[in-house]
Amino acid sequence: MDTIVTAILLGILEGLTEFLPVSSTGHLILAQAWFGYDPAQWRQFNIIIQLGAILAVVVTYFKTFWNMGMGLLRGERASIMFVRNILLAFLPAAVIGLLILDVIDAMLESPAVVATALIVGGIAILVLERTIPTREEQGVEALSWRAAIGIGCVQCLAMIPGTSRSGATIMGALAMGVGRKTAAEFSFFLAVPTMLGASVVKIFQEPDLLAGTAAIGWTEIALGFIASFLVALAVVRAFVAYVSKRGFAPFAWYRILVGAVTLIWLFGF
């Protein structure tokens, strides 16, 4: 497949799946297995296009981030609580991620791990959807510090490829009594420091990328970045509206289907 076409398709895939509870990293790994391209060649590309998805969140919620930043400077309690909760939820992943980075990299090579995690995560979402009642929305700033840390700890499960960072944080939030809309938005806000931190660490581990000599050309990287940004921009806006009314079950069934088909493909043929 032409590298430009591959870059655009991977960018679209990243934008579609990054903020849905279906695992973007898992889908990129499965795409490597399904289409047979060299994952090492596209590793640096995958790091950069995640930044496009992050930018989509910043653009979508720019007013929220701006107001919270201004409120923080003025010492407003709501803004302080908002920032506190995001930072508390970010800390567990930051600490654990640095400690087990090599283990995570090893798991990134296994489509079987991804497929299994997709199925297990899908079942977990269905169980939570059916057992946890719909909660009243309260806003990120209203969460207790215990809930924020708890959600952050659950997010660490997403270090297993196929688990889904957004899926783990959303389900963790629901389990702690957070409303669907607030849980989804908290996941988006938490994605900014989590994904940005992970991307920065990975970039500094890639000397070729820093030197401007990445295996994939900068034209392909730019196209993938733009595709990821534009698609994620549309997904973020639509996702909150959808789950506020209909919940997460369709995404759970999708996970189970993709995981099962992948396992059959890996071991049945």
PDB file of all heavy atoms in Angstrom, residues 144-175:
ATOM      1  N   SER A 144     -14.499  14.297  44.261  1.00  0.00           N
ATOM      2  CA  SER A 144     -13.628  14.270  45.434  1.00  0.00           C
ATOM      3  C   SER A 144     -12.216  13.878  45.022  1.00  0.00           C
ATOM      4  O   SER A 144     -12.008  13.299  43.954  1.00  0.00           O
ATOM      5  CB  SER A 144     -14.161  13.267  46.462  1.00  0.00           C
ATOM      6  OG  SER A 144     -14.009  11.935  45.976  1.00  0.00           O
ATOM      7  N   TRP A 145     -11.255  14.180  45.869  1.00  0.00           N
ATOM      8  CA  TRP A 145      -9.880  13.802  45.543  1.00  0.00           C
ATOM      9  C   TRP A 145      -9.712  12.296  45.508  1.00  0.00           C
ATOM     10  O   TRP A 145      -8.910  11.770  44.738  1.00  0.00           O
ATOM     11  CB  TRP A 145      -8.901  14.426  46.538  1.00  0.00           C
ATOM     12  CG  TRP A 145      -9.010  13.944  47.964  1.00  0.00           C
ATOM     13  CD1 TRP A 145      -9.759  14.477  48.964  1.00  0.00           C
ATOM     14  CD2 TRP A 145      -8.331  12.814  48.536  1.00  0.00           C
ATOM     15  NE1 TRP A 145      -9.608  13.766  50.124  1.00  0.00           N
ATOM     16  CE2 TRP A 145      -8.723  12.736  49.896  1.00  0.00           C
ATOM     17  CE3 TRP A 145      -7.431  11.874  48.041  1.00  0.00           C
ATOM     18  CZ2 TRP A 145      -8.251  11.741  50.754  1.00  0.00           C
ATOM     19  CZ3 TRP A 145      -6.950  10.881  48.893  1.00  0.00           C
ATOM     20  CH2 TRP A 145      -7.367  10.824  50.232  1.00  0.00           C
ATOM     21  N   ARG A 146     -10.507  11.583  46.317  1.00  0.00           N
ATOM     22  CA  ARG A 146     -10.437  10.114  46.300  1.00  0.00           C
ATOM     23  C   ARG A 146     -10.922   9.563  44.961  1.00  0.00           C
ATOM     24  O   ARG A 146     -10.333   8.627  44.398  1.00  0.00           O
ATOM     25  CB  ARG A 146     -11.282   9.539  47.435  1.00  0.00           C
ATOM     26  CG  ARG A 146     -10.748   9.824  48.832  1.00  0.00           C
ATOM     27  CD  ARG A 146     -11.624   9.157  49.878  1.00  0.00           C
ATOM     28  NE  ARG A 146     -11.145   9.430  51.234  1.00  0.00           N
ATOM     29  CZ  ARG A 146     -11.461  10.500  51.941  1.00  0.00           C
ATOM     30  NH1 ARG A 146     -12.274  11.424  51.398  1.00  0.00           N
ATOM     31  NH2 ARG A 146     -10.986  10.685  53.158  1.00  0.00           N
ATOM     32  N   ALA A 147     -12.008  10.137  44.439  1.00  0.00           N
ATOM     33  CA  ALA A 147     -12.526   9.694  43.145  1.00  0.00           C
ATOM     34  C   ALA A 147     -11.518   9.974  42.041  1.00  0.00           C
ATOM     35  O   ALA A 147     -11.304   9.137  41.153  1.00  0.00           O
ATOM     36  CB  ALA A 147     -13.851  10.389  42.847  1.00  0.00           C
ATOM     37  N   ALA A 148     -10.869  11.138  42.078  1.00  0.00           N
ATOM     38  CA  ALA A 148      -9.888  11.489  41.051  1.00  0.00           C
ATOM     39  C   ALA A 148      -8.718  10.515  41.053  1.00  0.00           C
ATOM     40  O   ALA A 148      -8.295  10.021  39.992  1.00  0.00           O
ATOM     41  CB  ALA A 148      -9.388  12.919  41.279  1.00  0.00           C
ATOM     42  N   ILE A 149      -8.187  10.204  42.235  1.00  0.00           N
ATOM     43  CA  ILE A 149      -7.074   9.252  42.330  1.00  0.00           C
ATOM     44  C   ILE A 149      -7.532   7.865  41.894  1.00  0.00           C
ATOM     45  O   ILE A 149      -6.808   7.143  41.196  1.00  0.00           O
ATOM     46  CB  ILE A 149      -6.514   9.215  43.759  1.00  0.00           C
ATOM     47  CG1 ILE A 149      -5.826  10.540  44.095  1.00  0.00           C
ATOM     48  CG2 ILE A 149      -5.517   8.056  43.915  1.00  0.00           C
ATOM     49  CD1 ILE A 149      -5.296  10.623  45.505  1.00  0.00           C
ATOM     50  N   GLY A 150      -8.748   7.487  42.290  1.00  0.00           N
ATOM     51  CA  GLY A 150      -9.268   6.174  41.898  1.00  0.00           C
ATOM     52  C   GLY A 150      -9.377   6.036  40.395  1.00  0.00           C
ATOM     53  O   GLY A 150      -9.006   5.002  39.819  1.00  0.00           O
ATOM     54  N   ILE A 151      -9.891   7.069  39.737  1.00  0.00           N
ATOM     55  CA  ILE A 151      -9.989   7.044  38.275  1.00  0.00           C
ATOM     56  C   ILE A 151      -8.601   6.962  37.656  1.00  0.00           C
ATOM     57  O   ILE A 151      -8.379   6.247  36.675  1.00  0.00           O
ATOM     58  CB  ILE A 151     -10.749   8.292  37.774  1.00  0.00           C
ATOM     59  CG1 ILE A 151     -12.197   8.264  38.259  1.00  0.00           C
ATOM     60  CG2 ILE A 151     -10.704   8.372  36.250  1.00  0.00           C
ATOM     61  CD1 ILE A 151     -12.958   9.549  38.038  1.00  0.00           C
ATOM     62  N   GLY A 152      -7.654   7.698  38.231  1.00  0.00           N
ATOM     63  CA  GLY A 152      -6.284   7.647  37.734  1.00  0.00           C
ATOM     64  C   GLY A 152      -5.673   6.263  37.854  1.00  0.00           C
ATOM     65  O   GLY A 152      -4.943   5.811  36.963  1.00  0.00           O
ATOM     66  N   CYS A 153      -5.974   5.578  38.957  1.00  0.00           N
ATOM     67  CA  CYS A 153      -5.451   4.213  39.134  1.00  0.00           C
ATOM     68  C   CYS A 153      -6.062   3.265  38.115  1.00  0.00           C
ATOM     69  O   CYS A 153      -5.372   2.398  37.550  1.00  0.00           O
ATOM     70  CB  CYS A 153      -5.742   3.732  40.553  1.00  0.00           C
ATOM     71  SG  CYS A 153      -4.776   4.570  41.832  1.00  0.00           S
ATOM     72  N   VAL A 154      -7.366   3.418  37.860  1.00  0.00           N
ATOM     73  CA  VAL A 154      -8.021   2.563  36.861  1.00  0.00           C
ATOM     74  C   VAL A 154      -7.445   2.836  35.474  1.00  0.00           C
ATOM     75  O   VAL A 154      -7.314   1.923  34.647  1.00  0.00           O
ATOM     76  CB  VAL A 154      -9.545   2.798  36.873  1.00  0.00           C
ATOM     77  CG1 VAL A 154     -10.222   2.000  35.756  1.00  0.00           C
ATOM     78  CG2 VAL A 154     -10.137   2.390  38.219  1.00  0.00           C
ATOM     79  N   GLN A 155      -7.094   4.100  35.207  1.00  0.00           N
ATOM     80  CA  GLN A 155      -6.508   4.440  33.910  1.00  0.00           C
ATOM     81  C   GLN A 155      -5.245   3.627  33.631  1.00  0.00           C
ATOM     82  O   GLN A 155      -4.927   3.333  32.478  1.00  0.00           O
ATOM     83  CB  GLN A 155      -6.165   5.933  33.841  1.00  0.00           C
ATOM     84  CG  GLN A 155      -5.570   6.336  32.518  1.00  0.00           C
ATOM     85  CD  GLN A 155      -5.174   7.799  32.437  1.00  0.00           C
ATOM     86  OE1 GLN A 155      -5.488   8.478  31.477  1.00  0.00           O
ATOM     87  NE2 GLN A 155      -4.475   8.303  33.452  1.00  0.00           N
ATOM     88  N   CYS A 156      -4.532   3.236  34.684  1.00  0.00           N
ATOM     89  CA  CYS A 156      -3.291   2.476  34.508  1.00  0.00           C
ATOM     90  C   CYS A 156      -3.534   1.131  33.827  1.00  0.00           C
ATOM     91  O   CYS A 156      -2.617   0.567  33.218  1.00  0.00           O
ATOM     92  CB  CYS A 156      -2.603   2.263  35.858  1.00  0.00           C
ATOM     93  SG  CYS A 156      -2.011   3.795  36.614  1.00  0.00           S
ATOM     94  N   LEU A 157      -4.757   0.613  33.921  1.00  0.00           N
ATOM     95  CA  LEU A 157      -5.079  -0.639  33.224  1.00  0.00           C
ATOM     96  C   LEU A 157      -4.905  -0.490  31.713  1.00  0.00           C
ATOM     97  O   LEU A 157      -4.653  -1.465  31.010  1.00  0.00           O
ATOM     98  CB  LEU A 157      -6.512  -1.073  33.540  1.00  0.00           C
ATOM     99  CG  LEU A 157      -6.820  -1.472  34.990  1.00  0.00           C
ATOM    100  CD1 LEU A 157      -8.312  -1.734  35.155  1.00  0.00           C
ATOM    101  CD2 LEU A 157      -6.012  -2.706  35.376  1.00  0.00           C
ATOM    102  N   ALA A 158      -5.041   0.758  31.237  1.00  0.00           N
ATOM    103  CA  ALA A 158      -4.941   1.004  29.806  1.00  0.00           C
ATOM    104  C   ALA A 158      -3.524   0.836  29.279  1.00  0.00           C
ATOM    105  O   ALA A 158      -3.309   0.914  28.063  1.00  0.00           O
ATOM    106  CB  ALA A 158      -5.454   2.405  29.484  1.00  0.00           C
ATOM    107  N   MET A 159      -2.547   0.613  30.168  1.00  0.00           N
ATOM    108  CA  MET A 159      -1.197   0.332  29.704  1.00  0.00           C
ATOM    109  C   MET A 159      -1.119  -1.037  29.024  1.00  0.00           C
ATOM    110  O   MET A 159      -0.161  -1.333  28.315  1.00  0.00           O
ATOM    111  CB  MET A 159      -0.218   0.411  30.881  1.00  0.00           C
ATOM    112  CG  MET A 159      -0.092   1.817  31.426  1.00  0.00           C
ATOM    113  SD  MET A 159       0.964   1.915  32.884  1.00  0.00           S
ATOM    114  CE  MET A 159       0.667   3.627  33.377  1.00  0.00           C
ATOM    115  N   ILE A 160      -2.139  -1.863  29.269  1.00  0.00           N
ATOM    116  CA  ILE A 160      -2.258  -3.119  28.527  1.00  0.00           C
ATOM    117  C   ILE A 160      -2.898  -2.782  27.187  1.00  0.00           C
ATOM    118  O   ILE A 160      -4.042  -2.321  27.141  1.00  0.00           O
ATOM    119  CB  ILE A 160      -3.139  -4.137  29.272  1.00  0.00           C
ATOM    120  CG1 ILE A 160      -2.576  -4.411  30.662  1.00  0.00           C
ATOM    121  CG2 ILE A 160      -3.268  -5.429  28.473  1.00  0.00           C
ATOM    122  CD1 ILE A 160      -3.493  -5.249  31.539  1.00  0.00           C
ATOM    123  N   PRO A 161      -2.213  -2.950  26.065  1.00  0.00           N
ATOM    124  CA  PRO A 161      -2.765  -2.578  24.763  1.00  0.00           C
ATOM    125  C   PRO A 161      -4.096  -3.270  24.503  1.00  0.00           C
ATOM    126  O   PRO A 161      -4.257  -4.466  24.732  1.00  0.00           O
ATOM    127  CB  PRO A 161      -1.696  -3.066  23.775  1.00  0.00           C
ATOM    128  CG  PRO A 161      -0.439  -3.110  24.572  1.00  0.00           C
ATOM    129  CD  PRO A 161      -0.845  -3.510  25.960  1.00  0.00           C
ATOM    130  N   GLY A 162      -5.068  -2.507  24.040  1.00  0.00           N
ATOM    131  CA  GLY A 162      -6.399  -3.045  23.777  1.00  0.00           C
ATOM    132  C   GLY A 162      -7.381  -2.737  24.885  1.00  0.00           C
ATOM    133  O   GLY A 162      -8.588  -2.873  24.697  1.00  0.00           O
ATOM    134  N   THR A 163      -6.881  -2.313  26.053  1.00  0.00           N
ATOM    135  CA  THR A 163      -7.779  -1.994  27.162  1.00  0.00           C
ATOM    136  C   THR A 163      -8.533  -0.705  26.892  1.00  0.00           C
ATOM    137  O   THR A 163      -9.728  -0.599  27.172  1.00  0.00           O
ATOM    138  CB  THR A 163      -6.990  -1.867  28.479  1.00  0.00           C
ATOM    139  OG1 THR A 163      -6.317  -3.101  28.731  1.00  0.00           O
ATOM    140  CG2 THR A 163      -7.916  -1.548  29.641  1.00  0.00           C
ATOM    141  N   SER A 164      -7.873   0.312  26.363  1.00  0.00           N
ATOM    142  CA  SER A 164      -8.410   1.621  26.051  1.00  0.00           C
ATOM    143  C   SER A 164      -8.292   2.560  27.237  1.00  0.00           C
ATOM    144  O   SER A 164      -8.892   2.340  28.288  1.00  0.00           O
ATOM    145  CB  SER A 164      -9.875   1.563  25.596  1.00  0.00           C
ATOM    146  OG  SER A 164     -10.428   2.871  25.520  1.00  0.00           O
ATOM    147  N   ARG A 165      -7.510   3.628  27.031  1.00  0.00           N
ATOM    148  CA  ARG A 165      -7.359   4.632  28.079  1.00  0.00           C
ATOM    149  C   ARG A 165      -8.681   5.307  28.389  1.00  0.00           C
ATOM    150  O   ARG A 165      -9.075   5.454  29.545  1.00  0.00           O
ATOM    151  CB  ARG A 165      -6.318   5.668  27.625  1.00  0.00           C
ATOM    152  CG  ARG A 165      -5.893   6.657  28.713  1.00  0.00           C
ATOM    153  CD  ARG A 165      -5.467   7.982  28.116  1.00  0.00           C
ATOM    154  NE  ARG A 165      -6.528   8.554  27.321  1.00  0.00           N
ATOM    155  CZ  ARG A 165      -7.564   9.207  27.838  1.00  0.00           C
ATOM    156  NH1 ARG A 165      -7.670   9.365  29.144  1.00  0.00           N
ATOM    157  NH2 ARG A 165      -8.502   9.695  27.053  1.00  0.00           N
ATOM    158  N   SER A 166      -9.390   5.730  27.336  1.00  0.00           N
ATOM    159  CA  SER A 166     -10.671   6.392  27.566  1.00  0.00           C
ATOM    160  C   SER A 166     -11.678   5.433  28.173  1.00  0.00           C
ATOM    161  O   SER A 166     -12.445   5.807  29.073  1.00  0.00           O
ATOM    162  CB  SER A 166     -11.210   6.978  26.252  1.00  0.00           C
ATOM    163  OG  SER A 166     -11.444   5.955  25.303  1.00  0.00           O
ATOM    164  N   GLY A 167     -11.672   4.167  27.707  1.00  0.00           N
ATOM    165  CA  GLY A 167     -12.595   3.188  28.263  1.00  0.00           C
ATOM    166  C   GLY A 167     -12.350   2.932  29.737  1.00  0.00           C
ATOM    167  O   GLY A 167     -13.287   2.867  30.538  1.00  0.00           O
ATOM    168  N   ALA A 168     -11.072   2.813  30.115  1.00  0.00           N
ATOM    169  CA  ALA A 168     -10.742   2.551  31.518  1.00  0.00           C
ATOM    170  C   ALA A 168     -11.148   3.720  32.406  1.00  0.00           C
ATOM    171  O   ALA A 168     -11.737   3.537  33.477  1.00  0.00           O
ATOM    172  CB  ALA A 168      -9.240   2.277  31.654  1.00  0.00           C
ATOM    173  N   THR A 169     -10.843   4.944  31.977  1.00  0.00           N
ATOM    174  CA  THR A 169     -11.170   6.103  32.804  1.00  0.00           C
ATOM    175  C   THR A 169     -12.675   6.321  32.895  1.00  0.00           C
ATOM    176  O   THR A 169     -13.201   6.655  33.965  1.00  0.00           O
ATOM    177  CB  THR A 169     -10.498   7.377  32.265  1.00  0.00           C
ATOM    178  OG1 THR A 169     -10.834   7.545  30.883  1.00  0.00           O
ATOM    179  CG2 THR A 169      -8.999   7.302  32.391  1.00  0.00           C
ATOM    180  N   ILE A 170     -13.379   6.133  31.794  1.00  0.00           N
ATOM    181  CA  ILE A 170     -14.830   6.319  31.808  1.00  0.00           C
ATOM    182  C   ILE A 170     -15.500   5.276  32.703  1.00  0.00           C
ATOM    183  O   ILE A 170     -16.361   5.609  33.533  1.00  0.00           O
ATOM    184  CB  ILE A 170     -15.397   6.241  30.371  1.00  0.00           C
ATOM    185  CG1 ILE A 170     -14.990   7.491  29.586  1.00  0.00           C
ATOM    186  CG2 ILE A 170     -16.919   6.111  30.402  1.00  0.00           C
ATOM    187  CD1 ILE A 170     -15.306   7.417  28.106  1.00  0.00           C
ATOM    188  N   MET A 171     -15.113   4.011  32.554  1.00  0.00           N
ATOM    189  CA  MET A 171     -15.730   2.965  33.370  1.00  0.00           C
ATOM    190  C   MET A 171     -15.344   3.134  34.840  1.00  0.00           C
ATOM    191  O   MET A 171     -16.159   2.891  35.741  1.00  0.00           O
ATOM    192  CB  MET A 171     -15.300   1.586  32.860  1.00  0.00           C
ATOM    193  CG  MET A 171     -15.866   1.231  31.487  1.00  0.00           C
ATOM    194  SD  MET A 171     -17.685   1.305  31.414  1.00  0.00           S
ATOM    195  CE  MET A 171     -17.916   2.727  30.336  1.00  0.00           C
ATOM    196  N   GLY A 172     -14.112   3.552  35.091  1.00  0.00           N
ATOM    197  CA  GLY A 172     -13.704   3.816  36.472  1.00  0.00           C
ATOM    198  C   GLY A 172     -14.523   4.929  37.083  1.00  0.00           C
ATOM    199  O   GLY A 172     -14.941   4.861  38.253  1.00  0.00           O
ATOM    200  N   ALA A 173     -14.781   5.971  36.295  1.00  0.00           N
ATOM    201  CA  ALA A 173     -15.586   7.092  36.783  1.00  0.00           C
ATOM    202  C   ALA A 173     -17.025   6.659  37.049  1.00  0.00           C
ATOM    203  O   ALA A 173     -17.620   7.019  38.074  1.00  0.00           O
ATOM    204  CB  ALA A 173     -15.552   8.233  35.769  1.00  0.00           C
ATOM    205  N   LEU A 174     -17.596   5.879  36.147  1.00  0.00           N
ATOM    206  CA  LEU A 174     -18.965   5.402  36.350  1.00  0.00           C
ATOM    207  C   LEU A 174     -19.069   4.554  37.610  1.00  0.00           C
ATOM    208  O   LEU A 174     -20.045   4.663  38.373  1.00  0.00           O
ATOM    209  CB  LEU A 174     -19.430   4.587  35.133  1.00  0.00           C
ATOM    210  CG  LEU A 174     -19.646   5.348  33.823  1.00  0.00           C
ATOM    211  CD1 LEU A 174     -20.074   4.384  32.724  1.00  0.00           C
ATOM    212  CD2 LEU A 174     -20.680   6.449  33.989  1.00  0.00           C
ATOM    213  N   ALA A 175     -18.061   3.701  37.820  1.00  0.00           N
ATOM    214  CA  ALA A 175     -18.076   2.840  39.004  1.00  0.00           C
ATOM    215  C   ALA A 175     -18.017   3.647  40.300  1.00  0.00           C
ATOM    216  O   ALA A 175     -18.445   3.176  41.362  1.00  0.00           O
ATOM    217  CB  ALA A 175     -16.902   1.863  38.952  1.00  0.00           C
TER     218      ALA A 175
END
